[in-house]
């Protein structure tokens, strides 16, 4: 195993940097416009992410080893779920205000707790179930005003569909997180990251016969930029976990709602409503509590293993 000097402040800096770059990716996708097939957006996001990822792995001398996998079927499962989640998420992102799309995406860790209990048979106690319950209430507060627009027609209906798509994306992302938790038991992080981008590129390319659009230069550059940002952000995120515990840096994910609010207002003229702010506060509180509980449970499991050894 590679020895890494722990540096929590560096880990936090890299985590926040990854949030900023991921927001850059989302901004590029929104700037590209709404008249683009989700599969087409997903291809650009996945394929052009491969360039910085492979360059990073080559720099670290891990590229050759990253191609080796003992569980190709597991990667295909994770990639298939992830690419469908990404497609739904991008459609929602293109049709919703940026802060609301980000806030609804916070449902993913809540859903992951439910799936961990159902599929991994993890013991989830009352405190975490309570956090999930209140977090889902927060998601409902954010999404309900959009869901009531189905009968309005036009742009309002598109936003309602967009909200549904982001929620579906969160459900599928929760499933993908469970698959990743299985993969990390036998696969390198570099392998998981590389295979996801490769499988996502291939799967999204298969949507070409179903209606890709001819893109002008500006739109193409936006989508290529989104792909590079996605790859760089993934590198920064991976590096952040090398320097600090998950429980230390995970809460900084929620800085995206503040930065996303600023970008949404300055670039797109989005003004968050009161319901969005209240719902988001509830979801963030629930998410931070779940992160805290996961950290405590992780310490308990490690101590139990040491005592048993």
């Amino acid at each position: 195993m590679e020895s890494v000097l722990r540096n929590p402040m560096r880990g936090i800096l890299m985590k926040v940097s990854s949030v900023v770059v991921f927001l850059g990716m989302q901004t590029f996708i929104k700037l590209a416009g709404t008249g683009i097939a989700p599969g087409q957006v997903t291809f650009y996001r996945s394929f052009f992410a491969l360039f910085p990822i492979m360059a990073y792995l080559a720099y670290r001398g891990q590229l050759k080893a990253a191609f080796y996998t003992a569980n190709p079927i597991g990667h295909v499962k994770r990639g298939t779920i992830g690419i469908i989640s990404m497609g739904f998420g991008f459609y929602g992102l293109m049709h919703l205000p940026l802060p609301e799309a980000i806030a609804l995406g916070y449902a993913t860790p809540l859903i992951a707790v439910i799936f961990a209990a159902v599929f991994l048979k993890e013991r989830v106690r009352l405190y975490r179930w309570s956090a999930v319950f209140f977090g889902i209430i927060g998601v409902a507060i954010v999404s309900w005003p959009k869901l009531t627009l189905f009968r309005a027609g036009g742009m309002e209906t598109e936003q309602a569909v967009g909200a549904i798509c982001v929620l579906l994306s969160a459900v599928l992302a929760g499933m993908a997180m469970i698959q990743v938790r299985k993969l990390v038991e036998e696969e390198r992080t570099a392998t998981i990251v590389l295979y996801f981008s490769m499988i996502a590129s291939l799967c999204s390319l298969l949507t070409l016969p179903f209606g890709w659009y001819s893109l002008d230069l500006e739109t193409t550059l936006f989508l290529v930029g989104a792909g590079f940002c996605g790859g760089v952000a993934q590198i920064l995120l991976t590096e952040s976990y090398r320097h600090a515990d998950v429980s230390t840096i995970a809460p900084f994910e929620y800085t995206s709602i503040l930065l996303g609010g600023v970008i949404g207002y300055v670039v797109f003229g989005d003004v968050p409503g009161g319901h969005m702010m209240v719902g988001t506060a509830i979801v963030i509180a629930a998410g931070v509590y779940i992160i805290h509980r996961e950290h405590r449970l992780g310490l308990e499991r490690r101590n139990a293993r040491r005592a048993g050894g």
Side-chain angles (χ1 to χ4, degrees):
M1 294 292 291
E2 181 183 10
S3 177
V4 177
L5 182 63
R6 307 293 280 180
N7 187 335
M9 288 305 300
R10 186 174 183 179
I12 291 170
L13 177 61
M14 288 186 169
K15 173 63 177 180
V16 174
S17 297
S18 77
V19 169
V20 172
V21 181
F22 270 128
L23 280 170
M25 178 198 78
Q26 294 172 310
T27 301
F28 278 136
I29 290 172
K30 283 192 69 67
L31 286 171
T34 58
I36 309 172
Q40 190 173 7
V41 177
T42 306
F43 172 77
Y44 277 88
R45 157 63 179 90
S46 304
F47 180 73
F48 287 98
L50 280 168
F51 292 91
I53 289 172
M54 294 180 72
Y56 165 74
L57 294 177
Y59 170 75
R60 294 190 57 81
Q62 299 176 347
L63 183 58
K64 184 177 179 180
F67 279 99
Y68 174 77
T69 174
N71 188 1
I73 300 301
H75 288 289
V76 171
K77 290 180 181 178
R78 184 266 191 270
T80 303
I81 296 170
I83 194 65
I84 298 172
S85 170
M86 196 181 290
F88 278 125
F90 288 160
Y91 181 89
L93 176 63
M94 289 187 288
H95 292 87
L96 283 176
L98 182 59
E100 293 187 21
I102 293 171
L104 292 176
Y106 289 158
T108 296
L110 308 175
I111 295 167
V113 172
I114 299 173
F115 287 161
V118 174
F119 298 113
L120 300 182
K121 307 302 180 184
E122 288 190 3
R123 185 179 181 185
V124 179
R125 297 175 180 172
L126 179 62
Y127 294 110
R128 276 198 293 169
W129 280 127
S130 299
V132 169
F133 174 75
F134 284 108
I136 290 175
I137 289 177
V139 171
I141 292 173
V142 174
S143 60
W144 185 252
K146 297 299 180 188
L147 300 182
T148 58
L149 296 175
F150 267 114
R151 297 180 181 178
M155 184 180 296
E156 288 77 9
T157 300
E158 289 182 354
Q159 289 195 3
V161 174
I164 290 290
C165 285
V166 174
L167 293 174
L168 287 172
S169 174
V171 171
L172 291 167
M175 295 176 64
M177 287 176 68
I178 298 304
Q179 187 62 35
V180 169
R181 288 174 67 171
K182 294 179 180 179
L183 282 172
V184 295
E185 296 177 0
E186 56 184 1
E187 297 284 335
R188 300 177 181 87
T189 300
T191 301
I192 296 172
V193 171
L194 180 62
Y195 270 86
F196 173 69
S197 291
M198 291 193 300
I199 292 170
S201 298
L202 178 61
C203 289
S204 55
L205 187 62
L206 296 177
T207 67
L208 178 61
F210 299 99
W212 282 23
Y213 295 87
S214 177
L215 306 178
D216 58 31
L217 178 60
E218 182 179 61
T219 303
T220 300
L221 291 176
F222 282 144
L223 294 180
V224 171
F228 270 92
C229 283
V232 171
Q234 188 64 57
I235 292 168
L236 290 168
L237 181 62
T238 302
E239 279 292 303
S240 72
Y241 290 122
R242 296 178 67 243
H243 295 281
D245 293 332
V246 174
S247 60
T248 300
I249 62 178
F252 288 89
E253 174 69 31
Y254 296 108
T255 58
S256 62
I257 196 63
L258 300 175
L259 298 173
V262 172
I263 293 173
Y265 177 75
V266 173
V267 179
F268 304 105
D270 298 331
V271 180
H275 66 279
M276 203 281 291
M277 298 176 68
V278 171
T280 301
I282 295 173
V283 175
I284 290 175
V288 170
Y289 181 77
I290 287 172
I291 291 167
H292 170 71
R293 288 295 299 170
E294 292 285 356
H295 175 59
R296 292 287 300 274
L297 292 171
L299 290 177
E300 290 175 9
R301 285 192 288 266
R302 285 198 293 272
N303 291 335
R305 285 196 297 268
R306 288 171 183 169

